[in-house]
Every structure is written in C-alpha cells, then in structure tokens.
Amino acid sequence: MDHQSAFIRAIKGEKLNPKPVWFMRQAGRYLPEYREKRAEAGSFLDLCFNPEMAAEVTLQPIRRFDLDAAILFADILLLPMFMGQELSFEAGEGPRLKPALQDGPVILSHDKLHDGLSPVMETIRLCREGLSEDKALIGFAGAPWTVATYMIAGQGVKDPSALRGYAYENPEKFEILIRELEIATIDYLRRQIKAGVNAVQLFESWASGLPVEFLRAFCLEPAMRIARALKADFPDIPVIAFPKGAGVQLKEYAEAGIFDAVSLGTETDPVWASETLSQHVSLQGGLDPLLVVQGGKPMLKAAENLLKTFEDKAYVFNLGHGFVPQTPPDNVAELVKFIRAF
Ligand code: CP3
C-alpha cells in the first residue's frame, strides 16, 4: 500500500502548508499516561516487549495531540541486546550493556535477533490497526556508529566521539562491528516495513565531534548502504537520516541521493539548511526541545522562525532532539495548535 498521509507526502518532497508535525520522544515520561503504563509494565524493557502496552504508549500522543505521525515505541538498544550483550536500564543511570566491548572480547551473533525482536513486529501490527489512514507510522533504528558507542562503552558517555579511540586501537574489530550492525539493521528495518511501518528514521545521535573521514566511513556510508538495501525491496518507503551534530557534513547526507529527508538538530542553522540542503531532500525538525519546557512566547517565536524559513520548502515540523521529561504537555498542545494555524 502506498501510504499518502500529509507526513509521507512532505517527506517525499511536497511543499505542504500547514506543515505536518510529529515529535521525537513524543511518547515518554513527560506524559502522565505514559508514566502510568510504564509503572504497570514494571520496567522500560517490559514495556518495549509487551506489544499491547507498547502499542498503547505509541498511540497515546496521537490521542492527546493533533499529530500526523506516530513513532513506534521501542529503543535503538534492543538490537545489541540480542547480539550478545545484556541490556538493563538502572533507575536514573541510563542504559547499561554488559559486557562492554572495551573491557574484553564479546562474541557477536545474529541467532537471537529474529525471535528476540518479534514482539516489536506485533507492536507495529497493533499500532497500524489503531491508526487511521491519514496518520503515518514511523519505524526506526539506531545508525551503526551510535549503537556502537553504547556497545563499546557499555553505557552512555559524555563524549561518545572519543570512542573513535577504540576504533583506532582495534580497527579490524571495529569494522566488523559496524558491518554486523549494518546487516542486523537492514534486516530489522525490512521486518518493520513488512509489519506495517510507513517510513523509517535512522538515529545517528552522536555524529558530532568526528573527523570528516571517520564520519564518512562509519556514519554516512553505512547509512547509505542501509537505505540502498531498503530501497531495493521497498522503493516507496521513505528513509529519513538524522545525523545529529554532523555540521556542514549534513550537505553530504542531503546530496547522497538515497535519503528522502534529513532531520535537523537543535544546533543547525535553519537558514543555512534551507539554502544548502532543501534542493536535494525534504527537511524535518530543528526546534530546541528545551524551549518547549519554557513554552510561551520564546517557544512560539522559534516555531514561527522555522515555519517562515521553510514556508516554501518540503518540511516536517519536529524538534532538534527528543522531548525531555520535564516538558509540560500543555506547551506541546499550544505548539501543535500554533503550527496548525500558521
Ligand atoms: O517516542 C519516541 O521517540 C519513540 C521511542 C524511542 C525511545 N528511544 C524510547 C525511550 C526512540 C525513537 C528512542 C531512540 C533512542 N534511544 C536514541 C536515539 C535518539 C536520541 O535520543 O538521541 C537513543 C540514543 C536511545 C538510547 C536510550 N534509550 C537512552 C540513552 C535512554 C536513557 C535516557 C533517558 O532518557 O532515560 C533510553 C531510554 C528510553 N528510550 C526512554 C524512552 C521513552 C526512557 C525510558 C523510561 O521510561 O525511563
């Protein structure tokens, strides 16, 4: 089925007004109904692996706000969890992957990926059943480098770009790791598409601080190979790249000729993006999520600036990174209303 929601049309290049809108981390701790479901599930991972509950949490923001797309409720770290590391989320500490690759050898395997990730496919089927035709369902995965940073350190670190030191010390191991993640990601996203997602987004959250050659070899090129493999089987399913912090290298993503859209981080200059990237791809995102914590005039002024900058472009409204837990839901409602009326 060729899904033709406003979100998909804009991602495929249509210059729509009003702009379609969804938000990164639109399902999450800032919503009381999410916190309730998570408590009921017991833990974040129990929530991810319970298809009924995960589908419910995916649909919560769609019920509350006038959004054009839902994003599958899952996590980029579910992949390494089935490749030979044990994943846990300690309260207040973020993710832990054991054993960390930097501490010693880990045997990476693909054997458990299929069965392990099957509940996610069931979540997708339930979400698609629960969504009307005008709402798109977005699938996603972490891009190999970003997932690798967690696998190498065994946790989130302050400066993930410094983990390139591991790559320099262990070049063969590192290349195999990126390659294995690339293969697993292609398979995972193919399954998501077959289960019913209408677009996919590749989260490269840690593209900042890398030398250009490194970024090309381990961020851009793997993302291009993933997109190419998906396009070969599913030419109509759009692929969105989100290389957060890639700076001027965003231009190479835009000119790669394989991504339908590039998502902009909080730090990207919208005017530069509009002038440099928009002739090659659709654009998405850019609003500082901390302005939505603040709300009111500063938030609306920044939203207006984005809407004006991209008025004549193919653009989907979104943030420059995900909502933080202290975001007041009423500010989100006000923001969506403003975008709709613009
Ligand atoms: O609404 C959505 O955006 C969909 C679901 C989603 C989650 N994580 C749920 C989640 C998506 C798309 C992600 C992607 C993700 N996960 C990324 C890439 C985007 C980004 O934020 O840069 C990354 C780096 C991760 C890894 C991850 N997951 C971390 C570092 C953490 C802990 C930090 C935190 O906020 O606590 C998570 C946990 C996580 N993933 C939560 C949610 C809603 C919070 C879990 C909870 O309920 O406590």
Side-chain angles (χ1 to χ4, degrees):
M1 176 190 62
D2 194 10
H3 197 86
Q4 286 302 346
S5 61
F7 164 79
I8 295 291
R9 287 166 55 201
I11 286 293
K12 287 187 171 179
E14 277 189 57
K15 298 162 182 172
L16 304 180
N17 278 299
K19 300 303 181 193
V21 54
W22 69 281
F23 299 109
M24 290 185 273
R25 287 276 166 102
Q26 64 188 22
R29 284 166 297 186
Y30 76 106
L31 291 178
E33 59 268 35
Y34 170 82
R35 295 196 297 268
E36 202 173 293
K37 268 288 160 208
R38 188 181 180 284
E40 199 187 314
S43 74
F44 172 65
L45 286 177
D46 287 324
L47 183 52
C48 288
F49 291 115
N50 181 319
E52 282 81 21
M53 284 189 178
E56 173 55 28
V57 165
T58 305
L59 301 179
Q60 280 174 349
I62 305 297
R63 299 206 175 102
R64 194 190 255 262
F65 310 114
D66 181 16
L67 301 168
D68 292 285
I71 180 159
L72 167 69
F73 190 83
D75 199 86
I76 65 165
L77 301 179
L78 302 186
L79 207 66
M81 177 179 180
F82 295 109
M83 291 179 80
Q85 288 178 311
E86 204 176 297
L87 175 65
S88 62
F89 285 85
E90 325 284 346
E93 285 189 48
R96 290 283 185 278
L97 282 162
K98 283 181 197 147
L101 299 184
Q102 67 184 6
D103 293 340
V106 179
I107 297 164
L108 296 178
S109 151
H110 294 248
D111 296 351
K112 294 195 173 132
L113 278 169
H114 190 274
D115 290 352
L117 295 169
S118 286
V120 177
M121 306 310 146
E122 186 54 24
T123 303
I124 292 170
R125 282 185 276 274
L126 294 174
C127 288
R128 209 40 276 176
E129 271 174 34
L131 284 167
S132 55
E133 268 305 292
D134 59 330
K135 310 280 183 197
L137 178 63
I138 303 167
F140 71 92
W145 161 249
T146 289
V147 176
T149 64
Y150 291 94
M151 296 178 79
I152 294 165
Q155 59 186 336
V157 292
K158 243 204 190 101
D159 178 12
S161 73
L163 294 166
R164 67 189 184 278
Y166 172 92
Y168 297 155
E169 269 171 53
N170 308 275
E172 277 149 44
K173 247 200 246 171
F174 181 72
E175 285 200 23
I176 291 169
L177 172 62
I178 294 291
R179 195 75 196 164
E180 294 295 323
L181 282 170
E182 190 182 302
I183 292 164
T185 302
I186 290 168
D187 188 53
Y188 183 36
L189 290 175
R190 271 192 184 129
R191 288 182 73 196
Q192 290 188 26
I193 295 166
K194 282 188 195 150
V197 304
N198 309 112
V200 298
Q201 178 155 321
L202 268 177
F203 284 91
E204 187 75 279
S205 302
W206 306 125
S208 64
L210 298 170
V212 172
E213 290 305 331
F214 190 96
L215 183 125
R216 278 190 194 124
F218 300 117
C219 299
L220 175 59
E221 282 167 17
M224 287 175 68
R225 288 192 292 265
I226 291 167
R228 231 181 262 127
L230 297 175
K231 292 278 177 190
D233 293 342
F234 310 100
D236 293 332
I237 298 291
V239 179
I240 306 165
F242 180 34
K244 190 174 186 304
V248 294
Q249 300 317 123
L250 277 174
K251 191 160 177 280
E252 292 187 29
Y253 276 82
E255 290 173 350
I258 192 75
F259 307 113
D260 298 87
V262 166
S263 207
L264 310 175
T266 309
E267 67 290 340
T268 307
D269 174 5
V271 173
W272 174 84
S274 178
E275 287 169 356
T276 317
L277 310 177
S278 70
Q279 66 270 40
H280 304 292
V281 280
S282 295
L283 297 173
Q284 172 183 274
L287 184 73
D288 182 353
L290 297 190
L291 282 172
V292 192
V293 177
Q294 199 58 38
K297 270 220 177 94
M299 170 183 80
L300 298 181
K301 188 91 198 96
E304 184 182 10
N305 182 40
L306 287 167
L307 292 169
K308 277 190 176 153
T309 304
F310 297 113
E311 192 164 9
D312 305 322
K313 311 286 182 188
Y315 177 73
V316 170
F317 199 95
N318 204 321
L319 306 169
H321 208 172
F323 280 139
V324 294
Q326 64 270 30
T327 306
D330 286 350
N331 289 351
V332 179
E334 191 188 9
L335 176 59
V336 175
K337 224 172 107 193
F338 180 80
I339 296 159
R340 288 288 179 221
F342 190 83

